[in-house]
Amino acid sequence: HRNIIRLVQSNTFYNFSTSDILLSTGAFSFDATTFEYWGPLLNGSQLVLCSHHSLLDSTLLSREITDRGVSVMWFTSGWLSQLVDTDISLFSGLSSVLVGGDKLSPTHIGKLRSCYPELEIINGYGPTENTTFSLTYNIKEVSGDIPIGYPISNSTAYIVDDQLNLVPKGVV
């Protein structure tokens, strides 16, 4: 329970509000649903579910976002890149996008940032075992590789070498 609370309440990367409407994009067994389900439910926001078929068709997905007034979504990095290439207009109604699961494409994030400069784009990085993600980075601009970010609230990240010794900031 503590890991879910640390992820969705009083955190430093995304503060849910009662006006948020989040469309869940994953199967119930997908780790991102801990953020997608518990975030809205524990913060008075609205959680929207739709069919698998609607998620896989960009036209139907765009219609779901518009018709339901969706403002927040979580995307895997590959899927976000695909949607940016096929129908970038579906992001027009969103205010916040969280994306992760793999290294983000600077080209696609840059294109999305350029098209929707007011859109909040957050890189969520970390293993499933840490309850969805451990580090986040709010992407304001793209000028090369996108950082994985900083530890979320009530978390600590350690950078170690091959012998598991702590290394100073900036050391590879």
Side-chain angles (χ1 to χ4, degrees), residues 96-114:
S96 298
V97 165
L98 292 98
V99 60
D102 203 350
K103 182 178 179 181
L104 303 186
S105 162
T107 301
H108 291 91
I109 297 296
K111 190 174 180 181
L112 185 59
R113 167 65 52 233
S114 176

Side-chain angles (χ1 to χ4, degrees), residues 1 8 13 24 29-30 37 57 62 95 111 115 117 124 132 135 144 151 155 157 164:
H1 294 102
V8 301
F13 67 92
S24 178
S29 60
F30 182 45
Y37 286 22
D57 181 316
S62 184
S95 59
K111 190 174 180 181
C115 195
T132 311
L135 306 163
S155 298
L164 301 180

Side-chain angles (χ1 to χ4, degrees), residues 4-163:
I4 292 173
I5 298 300
R6 133 199 166 297
L7 181 68
V8 301
Q9 288 198 312
S10 302
N11 63 53
T12 54
F13 67 92
Y14 186 80
N15 290 312
F16 283 94
S17 77
T18 55
S19 62
D20 285 339
I21 301 172
L22 186 144
L23 175 61
S24 178
T25 61
F28 181 72
S29 60
F30 182 45
D31 70 332
T33 58
T34 55
F35 176 82
E36 291 180 331
Y37 286 22
W38 294 111
L41 295 175
L42 292 173
N43 291 287
S45 306
Q46 183 178 343
L47 171 63
V48 173
L49 304 175
C50 72
S51 73
H52 182 71
H53 180 70
S54 292
L55 292 172
L56 296 178
D57 181 316
S58 64
T59 302
L60 295 176
L61 177 59
S62 184
R63 190 174 306 140
E64 286 283 346
I65 292 168
T66 302
D67 291 352
R68 306 280 197 103
V70 174
S71 58
V72 183
M73 288 183 71
W74 165 267
F75 295 92
T76 60
S77 55
W79 187 33
L80 182 124
S81 293
Q82 178 186 349
L83 290 171
V84 165
D85 285 341
T86 58
D87 188 4
I88 198 168
S89 68
L90 71 85
F91 295 94
S92 66
L94 300 175
S95 59
S96 298
V97 165
L98 292 98
V99 60
D102 203 350
K103 182 178 179 181
L104 303 186
S105 162
T107 301
H108 291 91
I109 297 296
K111 190 174 180 181
L112 185 59
R113 167 65 52 233
S114 176
C115 195
Y116 301 105
E118 299 303 314
L119 179 65
E120 178 181 42
I121 306 172
I122 299 169
N123 183 11
Y125 175 85
T128 298
E129 294 81 6
N130 274 5
T131 311
T132 311
F133 47 85
S134 308
L135 306 163
T136 59
Y137 184 76
N138 194 327
I139 307 166
K140 301 287 187 195
E141 60 182 51
V142 179
S143 60
D145 286 341
I146 298 165
I148 59 174
Y150 305 94
I152 66 171
S153 304
N154 300 308
S155 298
T156 303
Y158 298 99
I159 310 299
V160 297
D161 62 18
D162 291 341
Q163 288 77 41

